[in-house]
Amino acid sequence: KQNAAPPESIRSRINVYNKGSLIAIIDDKIVGYVSTVIINQKTVNKAKTLYELTDNGLAKGVFDPKGDILFGISLTVDDDHRNKKIGSRLMVNIARMAIENNLKYGTLGSRLPFYYKYKDMGINEYINAKNSKGEILDPELRFYAKLGLKIMKIKKDYFHDPESLDYGVILKWENPFYGVTKKVPFLSK
């Protein structure tokens, strides 16, 4: 896949925080992958780009085992399996991970893959635009909104992505169990 992370980045993420990488397998084939890393608020505040937030995708320089934020580095689902809710299932398991680790929230930077088609719109107008069904126009923002993530910030020059015109949107999911308890009964193994 063109936008897939290089193998050395994936290996580094797994070595840094192996619990933060999940894969989905169907018929002995990997059809989805998500990687995360625990970071702190200082890293989020300081970083201007995805590359700074993820240590260029390697996670080493940003991992903070005492941090309270689970940052999503990447989510990829095989094109042939997109209608099987693989991405949603991976994200639900990431939310469980944030709850189990008593992390304050989960955050990630999203692409805006249709923005190039609507480049005459301002970025604020685009992220609020709806399609003919009344849904969020951008497919990635629509996907994350259905999972309960909220837009925190728009970032110009967030990463190199011609479809997004190099814009990214930082999204946030608040852990409703943060600070309530270390062990959530319904998540116990």
Side-chain angles (χ1 to χ4, degrees), residues 72-125:
I73 298 174
S74 67
L75 171 65
T76 304
V77 176
D78 180 74
D79 288 337
D80 295 336
H81 293 84
R82 289 197 183 256
N83 293 335
K84 295 184 178 166
K85 301 196 182 275
I86 303 295
S88 297
R89 291 175 183 170
L90 286 168
M91 291 296 291
V92 165
N93 281 295
I94 291 301
R96 285 184 176 146
M97 185 185 311
I99 293 167
E100 288 173 347
N101 288 291
N102 196 34
L103 300 173
K104 196 172 196 172
Y105 59 88
T107 188
L108 59 93
S110 175
R111 301 178 63 234
L112 301 168
F114 281 13
Y115 189 38
Y116 76 99
K117 295 179 182 182
Y118 299 91
K119 60 184 170 197
D120 293 336
M121 281 185 187
I123 189 67
N124 288 312
E125 183 183 0

Side-chain angles (χ1 to χ4, degrees), residues 14-168:
I14 291 169
N15 288 334
V16 169
Y17 183 55
N18 65 351
K19 292 180 182 178
S21 292
L22 304 175
I23 58 172
I25 300 173
I26 296 178
D27 297 329
D28 295 325
K29 179 184 175 197
I30 295 175
V31 297
Y33 165 72
V34 64
S35 66
T36 64
V37 65
I38 295 175
I39 61 175
N40 61 50
Q41 190 65 51
K42 183 179 172 186
T43 300
V44 172
N45 293 343
K46 188 173 77 167
K48 292 182 173 67
T49 68
L50 175 68
Y51 312 111
E52 293 171 356
L53 270 169
T54 64
D55 185 21
N56 291 310
L58 300 174
K60 287 187 266 190
V62 296
F63 176 63
D64 180 355
K66 294 181 180 167
D68 60 359
I69 300 164
L70 189 61
F71 183 79
I73 298 174
S74 67
L75 171 65
T76 304
V77 176
D78 180 74
D79 288 337
D80 295 336
H81 293 84
R82 289 197 183 256
N83 293 335
K84 295 184 178 166
K85 301 196 182 275
I86 303 295
S88 297
R89 291 175 183 170
L90 286 168
M91 291 296 291
V92 165
N93 281 295
I94 291 301
R96 285 184 176 146
M97 185 185 311
I99 293 167
E100 288 173 347
N101 288 291
N102 196 34
L103 300 173
K104 196 172 196 172
Y105 59 88
T107 188
L108 59 93
S110 175
R111 301 178 63 234
L112 301 168
F114 281 13
Y115 189 38
Y116 76 99
K117 295 179 182 182
Y118 299 91
K119 60 184 170 197
D120 293 336
M121 281 185 187
I123 189 67
N124 288 312
E125 183 183 0
Y126 176 73
I127 64 168
N128 291 300
K130 307 282 191 236
N131 63 20
S132 60
K133 296 177 186 175
E135 303 168 322
I136 296 171
L137 178 65
D138 188 87
E140 290 212 15
L141 291 181
R142 182 172 52 244
F143 168 75
Y144 290 121
K146 286 179 181 178
L147 294 171
L149 282 87
K150 309 264 188 261
I151 295 174
M152 282 177 46
K153 198 180 288 189
I154 299 167
K155 295 260 194 180
K156 186 175 176 25
D157 299 321
Y158 182 61
F159 57 168
H160 177 67
D161 181 27
E163 290 179 343
S164 302
L165 303 181
D166 296 342
Y167 276 94

